[in-house]
Amino acid sequence: MPLTSSDAAPADLADSADLAAVPRKPNRHGGPEGNRRLTAAVGALLLVLFAAQGVTILFLGQLLSWHFFIGMLLIGPVCLKIGVTGYRFVRYYTGDPAYRRQGPPHLLLRLLAPLVLATTVALLATGSTLALLGRDTGPVPVLLLHKVSFVCWATAMTAHVLTHVWRLPRLIGADLRRRSAHRDGPRIGGALVRWSLLAAALGAGLAIALAGTPLASSHW
Ligand code: HEM
Ligand code: HEM
């Protein structure tokens, strides 16, 4: 059973006759395919940062400051990931013809996505609270909530990554290759904008991490 939108004709393309009538407008930034490539590129960056964060969890006693640093560094790329997938969601449900033609993610992915989003926000929010308040968080067991959200997040994220990781090489390769290959589909613009957005998100995360880590370390 195909699990991603490019593999299956979603049922709600009933109005494809109407969509076919809508002239295809070239999009300078690559439209839905550009959105897809940026989503994949941020995903790949997150995968690397999650792996590094995983190492800090295994050696938390020695690497707590690195846990804070990488945890805060993640905030930038996570915000970009939520932004780019949220943009697709809004364009699709507000009837943008190009996004309608692309179709929505498979139903299972649409059901998984809110879990991926909510557990990610919970993990970073509880972590940030621990950084700001330290061990004593009053009546709210923030450290317990941080660990519980981690378990829920790890479950949802494993399903998300196992579904999507196969498509990273094509989607990211398409923006790396100087001359587009046949499997890249039609040539689209906006690669520089996408790489700049990725660099800006990482830069924002770095600023948060550089500012926040000394503060967090002073509490732990
Ligand atoms: C904080 C972590 C992450 C969040 C919040 C997140 C969220 C999302 C959401 C909401 C979607 C759209 C629904 C879907 O198609 O499943 C999506 C799509 C996708 N994600 Fe993630 N994701 C995260 C991490 C990752 C990672 C680590 C990877 C690496 C494998 C990844 C790869 C992808 C890909 C390839 C797509 C489909 C792009 C497309 O075809 O449009 N994501 N992500
Ligand atoms: C804003 C970023 C983050 C901050 C400030 C933060 C802070 C903390 C703190 C203070 C602890 C407790 C350390 C102790 O008991 O001595 C902790 C534990 C933990 N954190 Fe984070 N964290 C952050 C992000 C993350 C992320 C992104 C993950 C997972 C991807 C994560 C997973 C965990 C886990 C699993 C533990 C429990 C480890 C254990 O008790 O064995 N944290 N974190």
Side-chain angles (χ1 to χ4, degrees):
M1 173 178 69
L3 277 185
T4 54
S5 56
S6 56
D7 304 330
D12 58 3
L13 260 190
D15 56 358
S16 53
D18 312 333
L19 281 178
V22 177
R24 292 171 184 260
K25 286 198 277 22
N27 181 309
R28 242 164 8 95
H29 299 309
E33 175 63 16
N35 177 283
R36 165 167 285 165
R37 291 182 188 181
L38 181 56
T39 304
V42 188
L45 173 61
L46 287 168
L47 207 50
V48 173
L49 293 175
F50 289 150
Q53 188 69 331
V55 174
T56 71
I57 295 167
L58 295 175
F59 307 99
L60 206 56
Q62 302 99 298
L63 300 177
L64 189 57
S65 295
W66 279 105
H67 184 78
F68 298 151
F69 186 86
I70 298 168
M72 292 179 201
L73 183 61
L74 275 163
I75 296 173
V78 165
C79 288
L80 178 60
K81 179 82 191 203
I82 295 174
V84 69
T85 53
Y87 181 83
R88 176 186 176 183
F89 179 89
V90 170
R91 297 303 294 264
Y92 178 84
Y93 285 104
T94 53
D96 177 281
Y99 281 86
R100 281 278 169 176
R101 276 194 206 101
Q102 178 194 52
H106 190 277
L107 180 62
L108 288 178
L109 293 175
R110 278 183 271 168
L111 295 174
L112 180 64
L115 283 179
V116 170
L117 290 168
T119 54
T120 300
V121 171
L123 188 58
L124 293 177
T126 52
S128 304
T129 307
L130 290 169
L132 295 173
L133 301 183
R135 211 174 271 283
D136 176 11
T137 54
V140 186
V142 180
L143 181 54
L144 177 65
L145 291 174
H146 189 57
K147 295 179 182 177
V148 170
S149 59
F150 170 73
V151 174
C152 302
W153 172 86
T155 312
M157 190 50 65
T158 303
H160 186 73
V161 169
L162 288 179
T163 311
H164 287 304
V165 72
W166 320 104
R167 306 176 46 246
L168 295 186
R170 184 191 79 74
L171 289 169
I172 297 172
D175 266 353
L176 285 172
R177 273 184 286 276
R178 280 203 169 288
R179 273 147 24 104
S180 63
H182 175 64
R183 64 180 176 278
D184 297 339
R187 197 171 172 73
I188 63 166
L192 187 60
V193 173
R194 291 187 284 278
W195 293 122
S196 309
L197 283 170
L198 200 67
L202 199 55
L206 191 61
I208 297 169
L210 289 171
T213 303
L215 176 72
S217 303
S218 69
H219 284 134
W220 284 83

